[in-house]
Amino acid sequence: MEVTQTHCKQKQKQVMQVQPPPPPYRRRATVLAGNSPEEVKLAAVAISLNVRLRSAQMPFTMQERALRHARSLLGSTQHRANPTPLALSLKKEFDSVYGPAWHCVVGKSFGSFVTYSPGGFVYFSIDSLSFLLFKTEVHLVKESSSN
């Protein structure tokens, strides 16, 4: 009986040795039929920057700028410890390029409920930080002159 058990164990070892190891885990972009070239490009950019795009209602070029700028900020040592300068820098970048009234929240844990202008919302995460960037509408208030 011992011979049979040994024989079975040896046979199992042989079978296990023949099977190739599972392939290493790799993040892949799943390209579905019907996606635009811009969507595919943005997905490739997000993967290359190790960014998880969670929700967006924004033109692809603007999303790409947000992802690249946030990743570059995290690469610099001056902003690593504190999310407030990250939010300020991303807000200033978008204010200068796309006009005023951008708001940015950066942190490890936060809740939000915001109203934003059409085409002005993106929510993504890098490592353990989440980024919420949105634009509100600005109305100029004219002071009335008293006579």
Side-chain angles (χ1 to χ4, degrees):
M1 189 150 182
E2 286 182 36
V3 175
T4 308
Q5 287 178 350
T6 306
H7 178 69
C8 290
K9 286 181 183 178
Q10 288 175 350
K11 195 172 187 179
Q12 286 176 347
K13 284 183 183 179
Q14 289 174 351
V15 171
M16 291 174 70
Q17 289 173 354
V18 172
Q19 295 175 352
Y25 174 75
R26 288 184 286 170
R27 279 179 70 175
R28 296 181 194 179
T30 304
V31 180
L32 302 174
N35 284 2
S36 69
E38 291 89 7
E39 285 177 295
V40 174
K41 179 185 175 198
L42 185 62
V45 167
I47 289 171
S48 71
L49 297 173
N50 198 23
V51 172
R52 183 171 181 186
L53 187 57
R54 298 188 178 269
S55 181
Q57 200 242 332
M58 179 182 280
F60 296 117
T61 54
M62 292 171 72
Q63 290 180 54
E64 183 178 351
R65 180 180 285 274
L67 302 182
R68 288 188 185 281
H69 190 73
R71 175 47 83 188
S72 71
L73 291 171
L74 286 172
S76 68
T77 55
Q78 65 188 34
H79 294 300
R80 232 183 215 304
N82 189 350
T84 303
L86 295 170
L88 179 62
S89 180
L90 192 54
K91 180 224 182 324
K92 283 186 173 184
E93 170 75 8
F94 269 66
D95 278 345
S96 68
V97 176
Y98 301 110
W102 285 93
H103 308 276
C104 187
V105 180
V106 178
K108 291 186 179 189
S109 176
F110 60 83
S112 67
F113 190 88
V114 300
T115 302
Y116 56 93
S117 297
F121 175 85
V122 65
Y123 176 51
F124 60 95
S125 60
I126 302 175
D127 303 328
S128 63
L129 287 176
S130 294
F131 293 75
L132 173 63
L133 178 67
F134 63 98
K135 183 174 183 149
T136 57
E137 196 170 313
V138 177
H139 295 285
L140 296 176
V141 178
K142 294 182 182 179
E143 291 185 28
S144 60
S145 59
S146 55
N147 291 354

